């Protein structure tokens, strides 16, 4: 199955303030790291990040049951890697993401700091991974970041191990 990406016009314009946020800048770094052949060199940021944006209509067009492709799996990992980088930036300790997804698109995403699990997220229907907008993706990441930092604040001795 080939997934049609959101056109650039469907996501925020390049001058939108969301592109200046730490999370979106980190998502850009993580996404560029996936580009081993330089296909995105010279492309505008909205074009590079458009793969993370799926409208409700696009999600509905994807079958309920499906296997995620390698690009989608890489995007899921990039999203969680970006959250881990921001956790590390905020608390000053190494945050390690672990994403395990079955061939059917079910799995789990964990982020640990020291011996402390600061994020534990069940993943379902990964073949439909995407957000209505980059702003909504950032909001989702901010929720995970806030919870993780709260856990680290409550158990700093475990996070420091």
């Amino acid at each position: 199955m080939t997934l049609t990406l959101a056109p650039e016009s469907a996501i925020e314009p390049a001058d939108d303030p969301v592109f200046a946020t730490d999370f979106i800048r980190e998502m850009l770094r993580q996404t560029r790291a996936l580009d081993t052949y330089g296909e995105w060199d010279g492309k505008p940021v909205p074009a590079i990040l458009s793969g993370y944006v799926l409208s409700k209509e696009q999600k509905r067009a994807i079958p309920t049951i499906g296997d995620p492709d390698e690009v989608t799996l890489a995007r899921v990992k990039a999203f969680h890697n970006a959250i881990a980088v921001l956790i590390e930036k905020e608390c000053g300790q190494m945050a390690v993401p672990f994403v395990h997804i079955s061939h059917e698109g079910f799995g789990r995403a964990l982020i640990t700091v020291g011996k402390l699990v600061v994020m534990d997220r069940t993943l379902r229907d990964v073949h439909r991974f995407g957000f209505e907008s980059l702003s909504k993706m950032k909001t989702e990441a901010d929720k995970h970041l806030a919870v993780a930092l709260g856990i680290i604040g409550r158990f700093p001795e475990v996070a420091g191990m």
Side-chain angles (χ1 to χ4, degrees):
M1 178 186 83
T2 305
L3 178 64
T4 307
L5 296 179
E8 281 182 59
S9 61
I11 66 174
E12 291 83 345
D15 61 347
D16 191 293
V18 75
F19 290 106
T21 64
D22 285 343
F23 175 72
I24 295 297
R25 286 195 304 243
E26 187 56 39
M27 282 302 299
L28 182 61
R29 275 192 283 272
Q30 294 292 328
T31 304
R32 284 192 184 278
L34 302 172
D35 183 25
T36 55
Y37 297 108
E39 294 178 29
W40 294 326
D41 290 350
K43 293 204 176 181
V45 174
I48 295 169
L49 296 178
S50 66
Y52 296 95
V53 177
L54 287 176
S55 68
K56 287 182 180 180
E57 293 78 27
Q58 286 173 309
K59 280 191 178 185
R60 270 189 236 125
I62 300 170
T64 305
I65 299 172
D67 298 340
D69 61 6
E70 292 300 317
V71 173
T72 303
L73 293 174
R75 287 184 184 135
V76 172
K77 290 176 183 176
F79 176 74
H80 292 92
N81 287 349
I83 294 170
V85 168
L86 294 179
I87 291 169
E88 198 168 305
K89 187 176 179 180
E90 290 290 322
C91 74
Q93 298 177 25
M94 186 170 25
V96 180
F98 174 75
V99 178
H100 177 76
I101 302 170
S102 74
H103 70 282
E104 295 175 325
F106 297 93
R108 191 166 223 142
L110 301 170
I111 297 178
T112 61
V113 176
K115 301 282 183 193
L116 185 63
V117 175
V118 298
M119 190 187 91
D120 181 0
R121 181 175 177 213
T122 301
L123 303 173
R124 291 185 200 89
D125 298 330
V126 169
H127 63 288
R128 292 178 162 188
F129 179 77
F131 302 88
E132 287 184 43
S133 68
L134 293 177
S135 295
K136 291 196 180 204
M137 180 172 66
K138 181 191 175 312
T139 301
E140 180 75 17
D142 287 346
K143 288 178 196 174
H144 293 301
L145 179 63
V147 169
L149 293 175
I151 293 170
I152 293 167
R154 285 181 38 213
F155 303 102
E157 64 283 353
V158 182
M161 296 179 121

